[in-house]
């Protein structure tokens, strides 16, 4: 019924409790989950989840916040993305939130890494999983520069855990991307994000947990798991004035369409 389009089940505090997590998913009618890779070092563990369970899939990528890790080459991404049950490229993108003493100019390594992921996605025709934080202008600009405009040959993808403005959502949609909302949507202080969710068309909307982070209300502050994605769906249903069942059906269908039928 429900699909968690973005979770980190390879992280130690989740993988150690995987049987219980899977049981809770089944009880909550969360039938599928996409396990996201954030470093090349963890890819083998993420891929093992996808090959070990018939309702998990994997991505390959290096998160923009990770700077003391193996730097992915185009060939690294192409080789791993060709493996069974690897359906997307990412998590990738830009993150200027924790610059510290660095300037935006100092983050050219992030921008170069992002371009490498985009080029890999286009070559293998698999969608991008995009992270952007305090960097939306550059994120959109680089996607455009690399030819991501929704036309033939575009990889497309999803802006995950969306926390940006309606203008950024509109730009992402114009480029052919989907928008995914997490448990943040349920937070009392997140009315601006709920307003964006109201704007995003249902046929371009996904739901996720980003677990183990960002547990939705009423579990905020606790370890998140894919079993909590129905709470995100419930919030979307309230915003859109539709049933939770319709949210589950539509977002799962969107997930299938985005990943182009490779979920097998």
């Amino acid at each position: 019924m429900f699909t968690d389009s973005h979770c980190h089940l390879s992280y130690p505090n989740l993988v150690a409790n995987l049987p219980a997590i899977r049981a809770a998913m089944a009880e909550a009618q969360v039938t599928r989950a996409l396990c996201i890779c954030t470093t090349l070092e963890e890819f083998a563990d993420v891929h093992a989840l996808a090959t070990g369970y018939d309702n998990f899939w994997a991505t390959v990528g290096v998160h923009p916040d990770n700077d003391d890790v193996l730097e992915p080459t185009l060939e690294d991404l192409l080789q791993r993305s060709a493996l069974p049950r690897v359906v997307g490229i990412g998590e990738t993108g830009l993150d200027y939130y924790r610059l510290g003493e660095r300037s935006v100019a100092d983050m050219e390594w992030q921008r170069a890494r992002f371009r490498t992921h985009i080029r890999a996605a286009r070559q293998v025709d698999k969608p991008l999983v995009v992270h952007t934080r305090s960097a939306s202008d550059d994120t959109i600009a680089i996607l455009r520069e690399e030819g991501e405009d929704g036309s033939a040959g575009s990889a497309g993808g999803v802006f995950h855990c969306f926390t940006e403005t309606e203008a950024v959502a509109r730009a992402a949609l114009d480029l052919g991307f989907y928008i995914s909302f997490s448990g943040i949507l349920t937070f009392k202080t997140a009315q601006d994000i709920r307003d964006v969710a109201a704007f995003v068309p249902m046929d371009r909307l996904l739901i996720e947990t980003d677990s183990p982070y960002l547990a939705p209300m009423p579990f905020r502050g606790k370890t998140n798991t894919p079993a909590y994605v129905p709470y995100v769906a419930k919030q979307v249903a309230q915003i859109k004035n539709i049933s939770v069942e319709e949210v589950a059906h539509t977002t799962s269908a969107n997930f299938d369409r985005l990943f182009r039928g490779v979920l097998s």
Side-chain angles (χ1 to χ4, degrees):
M1 185 173 179
F2 298 99
T3 300
D4 185 353
S5 67
H6 192 113
C7 60
H8 298 279
L9 293 180
S10 62
Y11 285 18
N13 54 335
L14 292 184
V15 73
N17 296 301
L18 195 57
I21 288 170
R22 286 183 57 80
M25 288 174 63
E27 184 174 355
Q29 295 184 283
V30 180
T31 54
R32 303 182 300 180
L34 181 58
C35 301
I36 302 297
C37 176
T38 61
T39 67
L40 292 182
E41 289 90 337
E42 75 166 341
F43 173 75
D45 293 335
V46 175
H47 191 230
L49 289 167
T51 57
Y53 300 95
D54 64 4
N55 61 339
F56 289 163
W57 289 267
T59 66
V60 58
V62 180
H63 192 288
D65 248 354
N66 292 330
D67 56 359
D68 189 23
V69 296
L70 289 173
E71 188 63 32
T73 66
L74 182 63
E75 190 59 29
D76 287 331
L77 297 174
L78 294 178
Q79 288 180 354
R80 289 165 176 80
S81 66
L83 294 173
R85 302 182 71 78
V86 179
V87 298
I89 304 294
E91 182 172 352
T92 183
L94 300 176
D95 194 320
Y96 299 161
Y97 183 72
R98 296 184 182 88
L99 288 177
E101 297 181 357
R102 300 172 296 185
S103 69
V104 169
D106 293 329
M107 307 306 284
E108 180 56 31
W109 61 272
Q110 266 195 16
R111 294 185 285 274
R113 178 187 288 175
F114 187 26
R115 292 182 190 275
T116 299
H117 284 75
I118 297 169
R119 292 166 188 174
R122 290 170 67 84
Q123 284 198 39
V124 299
D125 191 30
K126 291 183 179 179
L128 291 154
V129 177
V130 175
H131 168 110
T132 185
R133 191 175 189 192
S134 302
S136 57
D137 287 350
D138 280 359
T139 301
I140 295 292
I142 288 173
L143 287 166
R144 286 177 176 147
E145 289 165 11
E146 293 293 329
E148 285 299 306
D149 58 5
S151 63
S154 295
V158 55
F159 276 54
H160 102 94
C161 192
F162 197 84
T163 56
E164 302 292 334
T165 64
E166 181 179 315
V168 177
R170 186 184 302 275
L173 292 167
D174 287 346
L175 296 181
F177 280 72
Y178 289 69
I179 306 292
S180 180
F181 294 98
S182 70
I184 292 174
L185 201 64
T186 70
F187 296 176
K188 293 180 180 178
T189 55
Q191 185 57 48
D192 55 338
I193 308 303
R194 288 189 285 275
D195 291 342
V196 176
F199 161 74
V200 174
M202 274 304 301
D203 65 354
R204 301 285 287 283
L205 191 150
L206 297 177
I207 55 176
E208 64 173 270
T209 59
D210 202 15
S211 52
Y213 311 113
L214 304 174
M217 298 295 290
F219 306 103
R220 188 173 182 181
K222 298 182 179 180
T223 299
N224 201 4
T225 83
Y228 293 160
V229 81
Y231 290 87
V232 183
K234 181 179 179 181
Q235 185 67 71
V236 172
Q238 291 175 356
I239 292 167
K240 299 288 191 180
N241 195 28
I242 58 178
S243 69
V244 173
E245 290 76 14
E246 183 175 348
V247 174
H249 173 78
T250 302
T251 55
S252 291
N254 294 344
F255 183 74
D256 291 341
R257 186 167 61 252
L258 173 61
F259 292 101
R260 301 193 253 286
V262 296
L263 300 177
S264 60

